[in-house]
Amino acid sequence: MPSPRAKPAAYPPRAAPAADPKVAERERMALGWLHTAHFLTSAPQLEHLPPFDLPEIAFVGRSNAGKSTAINTLTQQTRLAFASKTPGRTQHINLFGIGKQKVDDAVLADLPGYGYAAVPREAKLRWQRVMGNYLMTRENLRGVVLMCDPRHGLTELDEILLDVIRPRVQQGLKFLVLLTKADKLTRSEGAKVLSITRLQAGGGEVKLFSALKKQGVGEAAQLLWRWVHPEDAHAPAAGPEPTPPPEDA
């Protein structure tokens, strides 16, 4: 007799509910908005990207920093952002539209991962130029989300990227560092890396994020919603990242 078919696991697991029902509702609203994400176009060069009047949020980070996983977790989709089996192989800017009732009101831009050692030097230099030009000149760019593996901290390449966008941040560009893979840290390690990265970020927000445990997912979603809908009175600030309690708490 054939064995019964196993039920597929739900993807992704729901984020832990917020203590405040109002905050939980706002997080559900923001996550529902992000869940509408759909592919728009892909381009190998900046000049091939179509111009948009919609606010754009760019996701950037080193190869293996968990960028694709974070995008898929925030949008509650399994393969919206494609993670290549060979880090550094994906070298296109991918754009995704988001908006309820099939009317886009924002664009997510997935930029190629950088810093992978096996990528030829010429390709690295080319993508540094493409990313730099994009971050400095993309007119509708509203915010930047930088993925960082907290076990390694902000690297030299991450700091170069911060220097590139700093003038635009001073002019109002939103900026968030997501410390991915936070489930691999102890509470004390999480508190330490939060403190250090906040000093390094200089003007940006910093949040611990775990796709596995759904830590920080609702807060990050709510923050992206506010970047695009600053006038919405129903989505107030998510508040500072709580400091993890001592290890022996």
Side-chain angles (χ1 to χ4, degrees), residues 57-60 74 142-148 154 161-162 165 169 173-179 194 197 201 203-209 216-217 219-224 227 241:
I57 298 173
F59 287 78
V60 299
L74 284 167
R142 177 68 57 84
V144 175
V145 182
L146 170 63
M147 311 303 153
C148 173
L154 292 177
L161 185 145
L162 294 181
I165 68 171
V169 171
L173 181 72
K174 305 299 183 181
F175 175 54
L176 168 66
V177 178
L178 280 186
L179 298 170
L194 265 178
T197 310
E205 298 202 42
V206 182
K207 293 188 179 296
L208 292 169
F209 187 93
V217 174
E219 289 185 352
Q222 198 179 162
L223 185 61
L224 301 187
W227 285 1
E241 180 79 31

Side-chain angles (χ1 to χ4, degrees), residues 147-225:
M147 311 303 153
C148 173
D149 187 330
R151 297 169 298 176
H152 306 303
L154 292 177
T155 66
E156 181 181 359
L157 289 175
D158 296 324
E159 292 177 353
I160 291 173
L161 185 145
L162 294 181
D163 287 338
V164 168
I165 68 171
R166 187 160 286 118
R168 296 196 67 175
V169 171
Q170 293 171 350
Q171 296 170 3
L173 181 72
K174 305 299 183 181
F175 175 54
L176 168 66
V177 178
L178 280 186
L179 298 170
T180 59
K181 309 179 184 180
D183 52 279
K184 299 182 183 297
L185 304 176
T186 65
R187 293 189 186 93
S188 59
E189 289 171 341
K192 181 178 180 180
V193 75
L194 265 178
S195 178
I196 293 173
T197 310
R198 282 170 177 159
L199 291 175
Q200 293 174 309
E205 298 202 42
V206 182
K207 293 188 179 296
L208 292 169
F209 187 93
S210 169
L212 179 64
K213 295 187 176 180
K214 300 301 171 283
Q215 178 182 1
V217 174
E219 289 185 352
Q222 198 179 162
L223 185 61
L224 301 187
W225 167 272

Side-chain angles (χ1 to χ4, degrees), residues 32-33 36-38 40 54 97-106:
W33 172 68
T36 67
H38 57 278
L40 290 177
L54 299 174
I98 47 176
K100 293 187 176 182
Q101 299 179 341
K102 298 183 179 180
V103 178
D104 291 345
D105 60 7

